[in-house]
Amino acid sequence: MKILNVIENVDEKTGGGAAERARQISFHLGALGNNVKVLTTDIHLDQSENKSLLDLDLIAISCINKRFYIPWPDLRKINNAVKESEIIQLFSHWTVLNAIVYVLIRLNNKPYVVTPLGALPIFGRSNFFKKIYNIIFGKKIIRNAQKNILATLGELPALKTYGVDESKVAHLPNGINEEEYSAETDDSFKTRLGIGHTPYVLFIGRLNPIKAPDILLKAFCQINKRFPNINLVLIGPDEGMLGDLKAIVLNESIADKVHFLGYVSKADKAAIIHSSLFLCVPSRKEAMSIVVLEAGISAKPALITDQCGFDEVEEVGGGFVVEANIRGISEGLDKMLKDPDRLTPMGLKLQQTVRDNYLWSKSSIEHDSLFKELLKT
């Protein structure tokens, strides 16, 4: 099959879970013998630094606005990509690139699917522009798709508000590559990264309001005196919150216990996960967090919010699901830390669940079957 995957930002450092899914699905679909191209903008795109992009066939459009990822309207280049494809997959929702591609899909009468990844609710920044986008393009893009692919069934209520029938929904969860987290590591990275050898709770994600590192940090401040020998490590790029988070740290006099590492390499991330007590995902809104799978495959339990769409974590005994607020996270941290002996068995249960159900190799086969079925109709 000739497949075109469309995502506005495929960068490993700044693209988050959507970029990770687009890269992994593209790579694994290609490994199954498909001709896969990725249409994206050139924002943050540097193949010499982002090795995970080297195996992808990228079609990069110049980006003329970094905040909204507005691409240069190179309609000939984009149209050729659409025209040469048999099926198109649009990732995320609030993107100008998706809107342009959608118009060309309709003009060329091409089948397409949408993988919104939790982006359908009007939430976060630019609410006014999102409402306008939905009126002009958004609702049509979702309703006219041959299928809407959901990473978690928790996205279904939001999808129904767009008027989509469940017959046009496919549930294909996120995945992980186990081999990327299986290498033996030592503790030398702790000295190199300056985090010391104190046990720590881990946060992985962009420092923005949706990922809610502020909730975690304030909850950590509440439980700090009960667990004085526990640190907090946060890895991920800053998206405007780092200054405020550091101010909280200074005000609470816990600078020696909270470590902001920014973006780290995959190897360092794997080592940091393996050495952590557990992962905490305090998100205010999430579509099946990939970092939970990273923790799970590393045999680490997870504390997540009920907005993550991954309640299975608690159902299988691999962690706890709490409310997405300071009190919820604080109580969850307390439950995890007051009985450290159960962290290892919880991590092993989550690891088995991830191995059984959440590998990219399996997800790509399901994508392949779905696309072939759609091309028959």
Side-chain angles (χ1 to χ4, degrees):
M1 285 181 292
K2 295 181 179 179
I3 302 168
L4 179 67
N5 286 329
V6 181
I7 183 167
E8 64 178 3
N9 180 10
V10 75
D11 176 54
E12 182 178 343
K13 294 182 180 180
T14 61
E20 175 70 5
R21 179 167 177 134
R23 288 194 309 273
Q24 294 293 346
I25 288 298
S26 297
F27 173 78
H28 285 282
L29 282 172
L32 291 174
N34 297 294
N35 182 345
V36 184
K37 297 182 184 296
V38 179
L39 178 64
T40 186
T41 68
D42 65 355
I43 191 73
H44 308 300
L45 207 57
D46 184 346
Q47 291 190 353
S48 65
E49 294 183 7
N50 293 278
K51 295 180 181 179
S52 63
L53 301 179
L54 294 176
D55 295 322
L56 301 182
D57 189 350
L58 297 179
I59 303 172
I61 307 298
S62 297
C63 185
I64 60 178
N65 182 288
K66 293 183 178 180
R67 179 183 176 187
F68 295 105
Y69 295 96
I70 298 176
W72 180 260
D74 192 342
L75 297 181
R76 177 176 294 180
K77 188 174 185 179
I78 299 173
N79 188 60
N80 285 341
V82 171
K83 198 171 184 178
E84 293 171 2
S85 302
E86 293 178 276
I87 191 165
I88 297 100
Q89 178 171 203
L90 305 178
F91 286 88
S92 196
H93 181 60
W94 311 108
T95 84
V96 175
L97 184 59
N98 278 10
I100 294 172
V101 172
Y102 169 72
V103 172
L104 296 174
I105 284 173
R106 301 294 283 179
L107 289 174
N108 287 283
N109 194 29
K110 294 286 183 175
Y112 75 101
V113 301
V114 180
T115 303
L117 298 171
L120 296 179
I122 296 178
F123 183 87
R125 300 187 304 173
S126 310
N127 284 358
F128 173 76
F129 292 108
K130 289 178 179 179
K131 290 178 182 178
I132 297 301
Y133 180 91
N134 260 358
I135 291 172
I136 301 174
F137 293 109
K139 290 185 177 180
K140 295 176 183 177
I141 292 174
I142 299 300
R143 290 172 181 169
N144 291 327
Q146 273 64 42
K147 287 284 184 180
N148 281 270
I149 299 176
L150 305 186
T152 167
L153 291 177
E155 298 178 80
L156 192 56
L159 188 63
K160 287 183 176 180
T161 66
Y162 283 70
V164 176
D165 186 85
E166 286 192 42
S167 63
K168 297 182 69 176
V169 175
H171 176 214
L172 301 179
N174 285 330
I176 199 75
N177 294 322
E178 183 172 8
E179 64 274 11
E180 295 178 358
Y181 299 87
S182 59
E184 291 289 333
T185 60
D186 56 40
D187 283 350
S188 61
F189 75 93
K190 295 181 179 180
T191 301
R192 175 166 50 83
L193 297 177
I195 63 176
H197 294 271
T198 302
Y200 58 87
V201 176
L202 178 62
F203 167 92
I204 305 175
R206 291 164 288 152
L207 302 184
N208 66 27
I210 293 178
K211 299 297 183 182
D214 55 316
I215 291 179
L216 172 56
L217 181 55
K218 291 173 183 177
F220 179 79
C221 291
Q222 288 188 355
I223 61 98
N224 175 50
K225 291 183 179 179
R226 295 199 298 279
F227 303 98
N229 297 318
I230 301 297
N231 284 359
L232 176 63
V233 172
L234 301 94
I235 61 177
D238 178 33
E239 291 192 351
M241 295 189 74
L242 182 58
D244 291 339
L245 295 174
K246 286 186 173 181
I248 295 173
V249 168
L250 291 175
N251 186 58
E252 296 289 334
S253 300
I254 54 172
D256 60 328
K257 295 185 177 183
V258 180
H259 306 276
F260 299 98
L261 302 187
Y263 173 81
V264 299
S265 68
K266 278 193 172 183
D268 278 345
K269 180 168 70 169
I272 292 167
I273 294 172
H274 275 289
S275 294
S276 68
L277 292 172
F278 58 88
L279 175 75
C280 183
V281 183
S283 297
R284 292 180 170 95
K285 187 67 65 175
E286 191 81 46
M288 195 192 162
S289 175
I290 289 177
V291 298
V292 174
L293 303 181
E294 293 177 326
I297 206 65
S298 305
K300 296 297 175 178
L303 172 66
I304 69 174
T305 71
D306 54 8
Q307 299 302 306
C308 291
F310 204 1
D311 291 355
E312 188 178 0
V313 166
E314 184 165 323
E315 293 167 2
V316 301
F320 294 111
V321 178
V322 298
E323 293 183 358
N325 53 45
I326 297 171
R327 179 180 176 181
I329 294 295
S330 178
E331 292 177 351
L333 290 173
D334 187 81
K335 282 200 294 185
M336 298 285 276
L337 292 171
K338 71 183 181 182
D339 191 3
D341 289 340
R342 66 177 175 180
L343 294 180
T344 295
M346 290 171 71
L348 290 173
K349 288 178 181 177
L350 188 56
Q351 183 183 57
Q352 191 60 54
T353 297
V354 173
R355 281 177 172 165
D356 290 344
N357 303 292
Y358 300 106
L359 299 179
W360 285 125
S361 54
K362 178 180 178 181
S363 182
S364 62
I365 292 172
E366 294 172 344
H367 276 76
D368 185 81
S369 297
L370 175 64
F371 291 171
K372 288 177 178 175
E373 188 65 31
L374 292 177
L375 289 176
K376 291 179 182 177
T377 59

